[in-house]
Amino acid sequence: MSINEDDDPRFAYLEWLAIEARLLRIELYGDEYWADKQLTPCGTFAGDFHVGQGDWRDRPQPSTRAELVLRTVGAMPKYPAD
């Protein structure tokens, strides 16, 4: 099976998440030194979304949110109507 990473929202979402996390670390910690550090808060209200409800594989997979999130933030390309 061949995957075209250029057109697949899952790969675009992964790239977007990485950049978003990097920029958020700079915003929160105030220095580009922290940009590539793997600082991730633990114990926030969002933590249970992935691990608090049993096995994450039994819930909707992250890839199912890719296009929705990218559309919501305006990162999905707008193709002309056919």
Side-chain angles (χ1 to χ4, degrees), residues 22-64:
R22 184 177 194 278
L23 296 175
L24 185 55
R25 282 192 294 275
I26 293 170
E27 181 182 341
L28 290 173
Y29 302 112
D31 188 327
E32 288 208 29
Y33 169 80
W34 299 104
D36 295 319
K37 306 293 183 205
Q38 291 299 314
L39 299 171
T40 303
C42 295
T44 71
F45 63 85
D48 282 348
F49 182 82
H50 291 103
V51 296
Q53 305 291 324
D55 193 316
W56 68 273
R57 290 173 206 84
D58 296 332
R59 304 193 63 214
Q61 301 294 290
S63 61
T64 64

